[in-house]
Amino acid sequence: VYFSVPQLPFIDGSGPCRLFGAGGRWNSLSSGRMIAGHGHCPEGTPSWSLQSRGKSRADLWAFASLVAIEEGMQRHNWACDGDRFSPHGGPLMCTQFEGEPGCKIQPSRPLIFKTGRKDCATTLEKPYMAEEEEVHADEHFNGTMTVRFMEENFGFSAKETVAIMGAHTLGRFHQQQSGHKYVWTTDYQAFNNQYYRNIAGKDDWFFDDSNCTKVGDAWGNKGSAVWIAKMNQVYRTGAPIQWIQKKVVCPNCADRSYERGGRHAERLALDRDCCLNGVPEGAQCRPDGHGEPGSKASARDDDFSWGCEYSHFIFGRDESALGSDMGLMYKFDVDRRGFPSGCPGLQTFYPSSMRFSDWTCGIDGRPWLDDPDRVQSNWTRQACPAGCAKQDYRYHDDNLTLAEHVERFADDQAAWIEEFIPSMEKMIRNGYADEDLVVSWPRNEVGGMLDGMRGDD
């Protein structure tokens, strides 16, 4: 039997017909790896399947979710060591702390996989088709709505809600299915705490090339974040609504990514000038404002909408978020169409308005200030941020607000993963009593399941 499978440390290769090739070795594909397949064992060789072992499709999907997390952690750790594509070839992963102490994600214990879930009985064509309609969250929820949904459907606290949402670090949006575009994080196949760093607005590098060039401000400081709201215009109202992050940084002068096309001629000319003329030694581009070498743009630049250090997106891989993500960090209201309100930078953002909440600041850092109704102000100089206050909701038995949980996880990756793992395990055993499920992994030293690992133990 010839398969290519994940090199998972907990798969034992000593049993009967397993997912191996001749000689009991793993078989790798030229790109990618299978996690499932079908084959016929030689006559007389014992064989088994998940179904024959009494495992359900629900168990399979729960298992697949844990495999994805473990694979994401491994990809992140490979990227920390400089292997940005992973040994088996994958999308480029540019991580913020590559090569630095504390980059790797190292949980104190493995994920616990339990089996015993039951598939729904159905009269539909396929046995995996459920007749009952699932309960879905609304991606436009604000923070308190998200907490309420997770409490009612999963028994989660506010802290568990914030912790589980970090799963959005993995994966990307699919416009045909959801109407949303782009990615949550540019390293979207690496499992880490970048989700929290983004929505908390932490200073970070801007990555937009294949070399993972760390683009910052003129003196090489990490760029500050500006969040805006945007209509994706799938529906007549302009919805669904997505949040997009801009970074206040130089053009990528090393890669000259501004030459790829799509920029307004005036902006393109300025990017070229900022990179090629008057650049001090040791600087990434010509600094704006007045300040000492090494100074941050936020301390000397009085206009983030224009100049050499200006706010712009990662074109094609914009770092974005849903309302339910942003609501954990920021306080805003939301109407039935999904439009956020209650923030000073969203006053001109509504169904019949322009597509971007920062329209006054223009597109690609080119202000629309030639319109007499649009005047320069402190808001436009700050690149027209949404400007929402921090989310101050505090759960009844919690000493931290939602925003404080987000900031804690943004600053401490190790603290987040220790909260995430039990939250994930709680989510995938939802609806089952402790005695309904049994531990299938991990095993103890003598080959049995870990002692005492039932329920919440």
Side-chain angles (χ1 to χ4, degrees), residues 34-221:
M34 292 175 60
I35 64 168
H38 175 75
H40 295 284
C41 296
E43 185 177 352
T45 303
S47 65
W48 55 268
S49 67
L50 287 174
Q51 186 179 39
S52 69
R53 293 295 182 93
K55 306 301 187 290
S56 64
R57 288 186 179 86
D59 286 334
L60 174 61
W61 288 117
F63 177 73
S65 69
L66 302 186
V67 171
I69 292 166
E70 290 193 343
E71 177 73 8
M73 286 192 285
Q74 183 62 73
R75 289 191 182 206
H76 170 71
N77 290 343
W78 279 323
C80 287
D81 287 335
D83 189 349
R84 299 165 180 166
F85 293 96
S86 81
H88 49 270
L92 175 70
M93 296 292 110
C94 301
T95 58
Q96 291 290 331
F97 299 99
E98 179 183 320
E100 298 182 27
C103 178
K104 291 186 176 181
I105 189 164
Q106 298 175 319
S108 62
R109 68 168 178 85
L111 290 151
I112 298 170
F113 174 56
K114 297 182 179 182
T115 56
R117 298 167 186 82
K118 306 297 182 185
D119 291 329
C120 297
T122 180
T123 60
L124 299 177
E125 178 184 0
K126 300 293 184 181
Y128 52 80
M129 293 181 174
E131 296 180 11
E132 296 184 9
E133 185 175 348
E134 293 184 356
V135 178
H136 292 281
D138 190 324
E139 74 268 34
H140 295 106
F141 280 167
N142 63 18
T144 54
M145 292 173 175
T146 301
V147 170
R148 181 178 179 179
F149 177 88
M150 299 299 277
E151 179 185 50
E152 291 179 347
N153 291 279
F154 295 97
F156 274 17
S157 66
K159 180 171 69 173
E160 290 171 323
T161 298
V162 177
I164 198 68
M165 291 291 279
H168 280 169
T169 293
L170 280 181
R172 60 185 306 156
F173 296 99
H174 297 275
Q175 189 176 9
Q176 289 186 335
Q177 281 72 42
S178 67
H180 295 292
K181 304 178 182 179
Y182 315 125
V183 294
W184 277 278
T185 66
T186 53
D187 56 346
Y188 60 91
Q189 287 197 6
F191 197 67
N192 52 40
N193 70 332
Q194 191 59 42
Y195 165 87
Y196 301 101
R197 294 190 62 82
N198 279 3
I199 64 176
K202 296 293 182 179
D203 288 357
D204 270 326
W205 302 118
F206 179 99
F207 295 119
D208 76 338
D209 65 26
S210 59
N211 297 314
C212 295
T213 301
K214 295 179 177 179
V215 181
D217 67 14
W219 292 112
N221 301 298

Side-chain angles (χ1 to χ4, degrees), residues 439 449-457:
V439 175
M449 298 308 159
L450 285 179
D451 297 330
M453 299 189 75
R454 295 183 67 92
D456 293 326
D457 294 336

